[in-house]
Amino acid sequence: MSQRLKLEVKALNAISGQDLVILVSDALTPPKTAEEWLGEGVRSLLARAAVAERFKGKALSGLTLLAPDGAGYERLIAIGVGPEAERGKLDFAKLGGAIAGRLGHGRSADVILALPDGEPTADQTADIALGMRLRAYAFDRYKTKTKEKDEAEPLTVTLRVSDPAALKKALKAREAIAGGVELARDLVNEPPNVLYPEEFADRAAKLEKLGVEVEILDEKQLKKIGMRALLAVGQGSRRESRVVVMRWNGAKSGVQPVAFIGKGVTFDTGGISLKPGAGMEDMKGDMAGAACVTGLMHALAARKAKVNAIGVIGLVENMPDGNAQRPGDIVTSLSGQTIEIINTDAEGRLVLADVLWYTQDQFKPKFMINLATLTGAILVALAQEHAGLFSNNDELSERLSSAGKATGEAVWRMPLGPAYDKMIDSKFADMKNSAGRYGGSITAAQFLQRHVNDTPWVHLDIAGTGMSSPNTETNRSWGSGWGVRLLDHLVAEHYES
């Protein structure tokens, strides 16, 4: 990930950038604090350009015009924030992304962070800065062609505010969150020949620099523990499987931890039930759940969250060699329950089954939330607009839904029930790992639920949101880092002491 953005925070006492950015309402009224920098000629120029370009100040829309001689800057960029009546719905992180999207590499800009109808809060301006940083992210470490000078140089942005000290304080937490999102994006974007289970584990271990306790369990230890379902997935690969346990102890000793679990299939061929060749390269992203958990642990540690948090990721590579598991095999999971393998491409639930059981048994958490790019069926149901949420706990589900609305990482609760659970009963074992085409996301969740007992639990199916992400105001990357902001917000709102 290249550093494409340099942010500075200064008072509203001068401007020095090539571009000047102001926020305007649907009435095209600039903030009072920006008027002295515009001058009458620029204000009238903005009004004429808005008519010509049909710019009406709609939220997140933009208008760019060349400034007249003597203005003190080269371009004026107006970003819409919509009508005052709808200001409460404005997503300030997206607003920051919209601003960054209008600026160019190698340029400098002053952004006057004032609304037409008053001052935004320090948290709102910090969210704008967060959105700018997320929009500026690019994964280009494997591009070797010489870049143009302006592309190689970062964009330098000076945030002009009335209270720089308050913004700098609020920015500290956002910088931690941005670092977590960027880490998750980097992990998802890495090629599978670079990021295999052992390498992923080594990168997670770097969180020790932030105070996270990291334990890496190798195959010898996993066999001794009894994670036979997880090991069965990776037995066809030359790359050994790993489980990584990350602990952030930000609350008092003895306070019950919260737990986050991630599926980390660093490449998924489907195994013996081989996937079609078209698009298989995307299966490097089948570890987006584990990437999110790792990024979240970074965010919590970097902002010194007052919570005890456990992050556990199961890391495997699903390959089809002569030692790979077969359809028809029966394996015994850590829970002691037996599983008939119907489809070796239904592998993520096998990994999670062992890791979920291990987490609840070892750490007795307040709740468990697992994330996994688990089923293509969730894309059929929800496209890429929501992650599927499955749960045995209403309160936890409602809190996650609220966090999704606050961060823009939306979730949609899906059903569970005895009729669906019956669909994974096996003739030969306690359960089977695939119930067929119908209700595929639900039956996968039912499979996981058999490995959580009564612990409050949520399964997030992020197959539509964690990789191959659509472009948004805050993301232009294939790997989105989805879930880091969602879960950090959940913790901050409800579980910090």
Side-chain angles (χ1 to χ4, degrees):
M1 190 274 296
S2 62
Q3 185 60 44
R4 294 194 168 199
L5 177 68
K6 290 176 61 178
L7 278 178
E8 298 177 341
V9 178
K10 294 184 179 179
L12 280 162
N13 55 10
I15 56 171
S16 57
Q18 295 167 305
D19 299 329
L20 177 64
V21 180
I22 62 172
L23 308 177
V24 300
S25 68
D26 59 331
L28 302 184
T29 305
K32 291 182 180 179
T33 50
E35 287 184 350
E36 64 178 289
W37 308 112
L38 296 182
E40 186 61 39
V42 178
R43 285 200 297 271
S44 62
L45 180 63
L46 173 63
R48 295 198 308 273
V51 172
E53 297 295 328
R54 298 181 180 180
F55 174 72
K56 298 181 179 180
K58 181 181 177 182
L60 311 184
S61 63
L63 175 67
T64 302
L65 57 148
L66 293 176
D69 291 340
Y73 47 89
E74 297 174 5
R75 298 191 304 173
L76 175 67
I77 300 172
I79 302 294
V81 294
E84 183 178 356
E86 298 179 7
R87 200 62 42 78
K89 300 178 182 179
L90 184 62
D91 186 320
F92 285 88
K94 287 185 177 179
L95 178 61
I99 293 171
R102 285 271 168 177
L103 303 173
H105 301 299
R107 294 186 66 81
S108 60
D110 288 274
V111 181
I112 299 179
L113 290 181
L115 296 169
D117 50 348
E119 293 290 320
T121 66
D123 281 334
Q124 289 170 338
T125 52
D127 280 339
I128 291 174
L130 171 63
M132 295 184 72
R133 179 166 166 180
L134 295 181
R135 176 63 177 259
Y137 172 92
F139 187 82
D140 58 5
R141 65 179 50 159
Y142 297 107
K143 290 182 176 289
T144 60
K145 292 182 179 180
T146 302
K147 298 183 178 71
E148 296 294 332
K149 183 178 180 182
D150 63 342
E151 290 183 357
E153 294 180 0
L155 165 67
T156 301
V157 174
T158 302
L159 304 177
R160 299 286 181 177
V161 293
S162 58
D163 189 351
L167 175 54
K168 288 178 181 178
K169 183 178 179 180
L171 270 178
K172 290 182 179 179
R174 302 311 191 282
E175 289 170 353
I177 295 166
V181 174
E182 289 167 352
L183 172 58
R185 287 178 178 178
D186 280 350
L187 290 168
V188 175
N189 285 325
E190 283 284 12
N193 60 316
V194 172
L195 193 76
Y196 44 88
E198 301 100 312
E199 172 64 18
F200 197 135
D202 288 344
R203 295 200 187 188
K206 293 179 181 179
L207 294 181
E208 291 178 334
K209 295 178 181 179
L210 296 174
V212 179
E213 297 177 11
V214 180
E215 179 184 12
I216 300 174
L217 303 174
D218 61 21
E219 285 201 349
K220 184 178 179 180
Q221 292 168 294
L222 297 177
K223 289 174 183 176
K224 184 176 180 180
I225 291 168
M227 290 197 188
R228 291 172 289 269
L230 180 149
L231 289 169
V233 177
Q235 72 187 36
S237 173
R238 291 175 59 243
R239 304 289 192 182
E240 287 197 1
S241 300
R242 294 286 185 269
V243 168
V244 181
V245 180
M246 298 165 278
R247 300 179 181 89
W248 168 248
N249 299 313
K252 293 181 179 179
S253 177
V255 174
Q256 192 178 16
V258 296
F260 304 93
I261 295 93
K263 169 190 171 183
V265 181
T266 58
F267 193 76
D268 181 22
T269 64
I272 297 299
S273 305
L274 192 66
K275 292 178 180 291
M280 193 190 287
E281 67 275 7
D282 286 352
M283 288 301 99
K284 71 176 187 176
D286 208 17
M287 33 56 71
C292 170
V293 171
T294 308
L296 173 67
M297 297 303 291
H298 173 105
L300 295 176
R303 69 175 183 82
K304 307 298 182 186
K306 296 179 180 179
V307 66
N308 292 336
I310 306 291
V312 189
I313 54 177
L315 306 173
V316 302
E317 187 179 60
N318 188 20
M319 299 292 282
D321 87 340
N323 195 47
Q325 66 175 344
R326 296 154 291 251
D329 283 2
I330 293 178
V331 297
T332 303
S333 70
L334 180 59
S335 70
Q337 299 174 92
T338 56
I339 304 166
E340 180 190 6
I341 306 302
I342 301 297
N343 187 332
T344 64
D345 195 22
E347 85 300 330
R349 65 203 71 180
L350 301 175
V351 173
L352 290 172
D354 278 352
V355 176
L356 283 165
W357 191 271
Y358 180 80
T359 302
Q360 69 170 9
D361 187 57
Q362 290 290 311
F363 305 111
K364 307 296 189 294
K366 186 174 297 185
F367 66 73
M368 295 191 296
I369 297 175
N370 74 254
L371 302 95
T373 48
L374 206 64
T375 66
I378 204 66
L379 278 154
V380 176
L382 300 176
Q384 293 181 289
E385 302 304 314
H386 294 78
L389 184 157
F390 303 81
S391 182
N392 63 4
N393 187 275
D394 291 340
E395 180 183 67
L396 185 56
S397 298
E398 290 165 4
R399 288 178 173 181
L400 265 173
S401 295
S402 177
K405 292 175 183 177
T407 60
E409 295 189 329
V411 298
W412 192 268
R413 192 170 185 181
M414 301 287 283
L416 293 169
Y420 294 112
D421 194 64
K422 187 177 180 180
M423 292 170 65
I424 59 171
D425 287 340
S426 166
K427 295 178 181 178
F428 306 105
D430 295 326
M431 69 193 81
K432 54 188 177 182
N433 78 326
S434 176
R437 180 181 180 187
Y438 297 120
S441 296
I442 302 171
T443 55
Q446 293 288 170
F447 182 97
L448 298 180
Q449 190 176 25
R450 293 195 184 192
H451 297 85
V452 298
N453 289 331
D454 296 324
T455 303
W457 157 78
V458 164
H459 157 53
L460 294 175
D461 193 333
I462 63 171
T465 57
M467 60 179 180
S468 190
S469 312
N471 286 342
T472 67
E473 285 85 0
T474 56
N475 182 43
R476 287 297 192 270
S477 167
W478 186 84
S480 64
W482 192 99
V484 174
R485 292 178 60 211
L486 171 78
L487 298 178
D488 179 85
H489 187 90
L490 174 76
V491 170
E493 288 292 306
H494 300 288
Y495 299 102
E496 290 195 54
S497 58

